């Protein structure tokens, strides 16, 4: 079923300070492209409490430039909270009084997980251009080892937007026995040709920067110009024409009259340059190359022969959310997934939300998503651990609250 919904803000408080954790493996991780990653580390954060039965775990899956820091602040001095902060906490969509949330930085990343900037144990130097090409499937198999190490056999839910949705669909189809429910937001079952084209332009901007040095720029000046241009290009795809027009129109940044020169003078130019500069302070250019390439390879129908064949592999129930102004992963992409799920006998909801924010809507329009996610997760009726313990003691039946 498909619905169009407007939104309003969610007033619930956040979770405060959280700590980043890391876990490492020396057992090689086989890679789809051949070879393996001999040693790797995943950075992750957790929120809430894992219940005694280990049945209330939800894996949050970040988008392209995200990381393990989904919610809260790592320090009282942090300028901003985590990337999905308004969705995680007591009374929020992912209620930390009910669920145990896990979020890890993907392999190939640059925020604590093994990626191109990490030390190659074979050489003692950063991998750089020697880092192996990875896929969404490789990212998920790495995450599965983390979930194993946390002692969780089956995830109550997995949830992600954009590239996080890719990972959620990979989990649901590659390891169906490990997932009960799936939330996919502003995403797709494959990277469209247009998406590959935009990613290719961004990669070329980085690789044409003479400071890229074939990926081996660590210890030297990094390719900041190339990465800034790549981010500027990518950022435009995350926005909608309406949001750009409403926010900037044709306004000049500093002058009241046109300068008739070649330097930047429009407000939108200044904004994009700022986004490029800020991105250079937190992201690695090689990670940009490797992660966008993994996204380009994403093709679930191609992997299994058709979208129906892929969805038939899953045992989960699905919630799909899309946004009417998102032209990067438009609602038609989510509708195709929902239709394939219905054809293969699965429960699936698809909600189209109104927003002016384009693809970035899933990161900014929180209030509209909250009731949809809350109601979907409530279908499984997991109560807080204390309520469940009291209910079982009173009933004397010894059954899990989730079964009542």
């Amino acid at each position: 079923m498909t619905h169009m919904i407007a939104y309003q803000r969610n007033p619930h408080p956040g979770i405060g300070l959280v700590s980043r954790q890391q876990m490492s493996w020396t057992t090689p991780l086989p890679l789809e492209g051949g070879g393996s990653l001999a040693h790797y580390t995943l950075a992750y954060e957790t929120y809430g409490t894992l219940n005694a039965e280990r049945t209330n775990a939800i894996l949050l899956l970040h988008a392209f430039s995200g990381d393990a820091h989904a919610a809260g602040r790592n320090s009282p001095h942090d300028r901003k909270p985590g990337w999905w902060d308004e969705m995680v906490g007591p009374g929020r969509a992912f209620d930390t009084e009910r669920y145990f949330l896990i979020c890890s930085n993907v392999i190939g990343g640059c925020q604590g997980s093994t990626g191109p900037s990490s030390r190659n144990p074979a050489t003692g130097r950063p991998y750089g251009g020697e880092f192996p090409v990875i896929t969404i499937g490789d990212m998920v198999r790495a995450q599965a080892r983390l979930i194993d190490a946390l002692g969780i056999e089956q995830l109550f839910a997995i949830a992600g937007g954009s590239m996080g949705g890719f990972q959620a669909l990979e989990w649901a189809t590659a390891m169906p026995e490990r997932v009960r429910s799936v939330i996919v937001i502003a995403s797709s079952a494959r990277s469209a040709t247009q998406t590959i084209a935009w990613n290719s332009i961004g990669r070329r901007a980085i690789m044409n920067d003479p400071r890229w040095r074939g990926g081996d720029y660590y210890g030297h000046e990094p390719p900041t110009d190339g990465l800034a241009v790549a981010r500027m290009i990518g950022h435009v795809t995350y926005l909608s024409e309406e949001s750009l027009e409403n926010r900037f129109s044709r306004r000049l940044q500093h002058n009241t009259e046109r300068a008739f020169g070649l330097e930047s003078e429009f407000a939108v130019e200044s904004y994009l340059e700022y986004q490029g500069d800020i991105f250079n302070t937190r992201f690695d250019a090689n990670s940009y190359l490797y992660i966008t390439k993994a996204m380009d390879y994403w093709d679930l129908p191609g992997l299994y022969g058709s979208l129906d064949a892929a969805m038939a592999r899953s045992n989960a129930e699905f919630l799909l959310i899309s946004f009417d102004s998102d032209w990067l992963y438009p609602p038609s992409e989510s509708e195709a997934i929902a239709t394939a799920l219905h054809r293969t006998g699965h429960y699936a909801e698809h909600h189209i939300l109104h927003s002016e924010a384009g693809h970035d809507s899933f990161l900014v329009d929180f209030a509209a998503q909250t009731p949809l996610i809350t109601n979907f997760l409530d279908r499984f009726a997991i109560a807080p651990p204390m309520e469940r313990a009291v209910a079982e003691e009173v009933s004397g039946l010894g059954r899990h609250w989730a079964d009542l």
Side-chain angles (χ1 to χ4, degrees):
M1 50 185 165
T2 302
H3 304 284
M4 185 85 76
I5 299 177
Y7 63 90
Q8 57 186 2
R9 291 188 63 81
N10 189 323
H12 292 287
I15 61 173
L17 294 178
V18 295
S19 298
R20 190 179 77 175
Q21 305 172 66
Q22 288 181 302
M23 194 176 296
S24 300
W25 292 263
T26 55
T27 303
L29 179 72
L31 302 175
E32 284 186 35
S36 63
L37 199 58
H39 176 283
Y40 74 95
T41 296
L42 288 184
Y44 69 101
E45 291 183 4
T46 64
Y47 321 97
T49 302
L50 185 63
N51 63 19
E53 301 85 5
R54 299 178 181 270
T55 56
N56 68 333
I58 297 178
L59 180 62
L60 303 180
L61 302 158
H62 69 75
F64 160 61
S65 63
D67 53 33
H69 186 43
R73 284 177 163 82
N74 294 141
S75 158
H77 308 294
D78 285 356
R79 187 171 63 92
K80 289 183 178 181
W83 54 269
W84 233 7
D85 183 71
E86 291 202 35
M87 299 286 280
V88 178
R92 296 189 175 190
F94 298 103
D95 191 342
T96 50
E97 293 182 334
R98 304 179 68 185
Y99 307 113
F100 177 64
L101 288 306
I102 310 151
C103 184
S104 69
N105 185 212
V106 297
I107 56 168
C110 53
Q111 297 294 330
S113 291
T114 296
S117 60
S118 303
R119 185 180 68 87
N120 181 348
T123 64
R125 302 188 304 272
Y127 281 101
E130 294 180 352
F131 193 75
V133 172
I134 55 172
T135 66
I136 299 297
D138 295 331
M139 295 174 182
V140 166
R141 282 186 292 276
Q143 292 163 356
R145 289 187 179 178
L146 172 62
I147 301 307
D148 289 341
L150 295 174
I152 300 166
E153 293 184 6
Q154 186 183 60
L155 290 160
F156 176 71
I158 49 177
S162 193
M163 189 187 82
F166 295 0
Q167 297 166 69
L169 290 167
E170 175 71 16
W171 266 97
T173 53
M175 290 176 277
E177 73 285 352
R178 305 204 63 176
V179 180
R180 289 188 63 191
S181 59
V182 181
I183 301 171
V184 176
I185 308 173
S187 194
S188 173
R190 67 183 185 100
S191 281
T193 307
Q194 178 178 246
T195 304
I196 296 171
W198 288 117
N199 287 341
S200 176
I201 296 169
R203 287 195 297 272
R204 183 56 55 191
I206 292 170
M207 296 167 75
N208 279 355
D209 188 322
R211 291 170 292 183
W212 180 58
R213 297 172 175 262
D216 297 321
Y217 52 81
Y218 304 107
H220 303 275
E221 188 176 359
T224 52
D225 289 344
L227 182 58
V229 171
R231 181 58 172 179
M232 292 167 69
I233 294 166
H235 196 72
V236 171
T237 70
Y238 305 151
L239 305 174
S240 70
E241 181 179 5
E242 186 175 14
S243 66
L244 286 170
E245 185 66 31
N246 290 342
R247 190 169 180 178
F248 304 106
S249 188
R250 293 182 50 83
R251 178 168 51 86
L252 299 175
Q253 180 67 9
H254 300 294
N255 303 319
T256 56
E257 298 293 335
R258 293 172 293 174
F260 291 97
L262 299 181
E263 295 300 316
S264 299
E265 55 184 317
F266 289 98
V268 69
E269 293 177 290
S270 177
Y271 169 75
L272 291 175
E273 289 169 358
Y274 170 78
Q275 291 297 327
D277 291 343
I278 289 296
F279 198 60
N280 264 302
T281 66
R282 69 177 184 85
F283 213 78
D284 178 58
N286 279 334
S287 284
Y288 191 105
L289 301 177
Y290 280 90
I291 296 177
T292 57
K293 193 66 175 182
M295 294 172 68
D296 289 353
Y297 282 140
W298 173 243
D299 183 5
L300 202 57
L303 180 62
Y304 294 110
S306 70
L307 188 53
D308 282 18
M311 294 297 100
R313 296 175 57 86
S314 177
N315 299 327
E317 298 189 359
F318 284 74
L319 168 65
L320 298 111
I321 300 174
S322 59
F323 299 89
D324 58 3
S325 60
D326 182 357
W327 58 273
L328 188 61
Y329 299 118
S332 58
E333 298 286 346
S334 293
E335 186 62 24
I337 298 170
T339 300
L341 286 164
H342 292 152
R343 281 197 298 257
T344 53
H346 291 77
Y347 177 87
E349 302 176 22
H350 175 207
H351 299 269
I352 302 172
L353 305 184
H354 172 65
S355 173
E356 297 178 1
H359 183 61
D360 267 355
S361 297
F362 79 99
L363 293 171
V364 296
D365 291 340
F366 305 109
Q369 299 171 74
T370 295
L372 301 179
I373 293 171
T374 299
N375 292 339
F376 178 72
L377 295 176
D378 278 349
R379 286 175 50 82
F380 302 103
I382 282 193
M386 183 60 70
E387 290 183 23
R388 181 170 56 251
V390 170
E392 290 176 0
E393 182 177 346
V394 170
S395 69
L397 296 177
R399 296 195 296 171
H400 297 317
W401 185 263
D403 296 329
L404 295 179

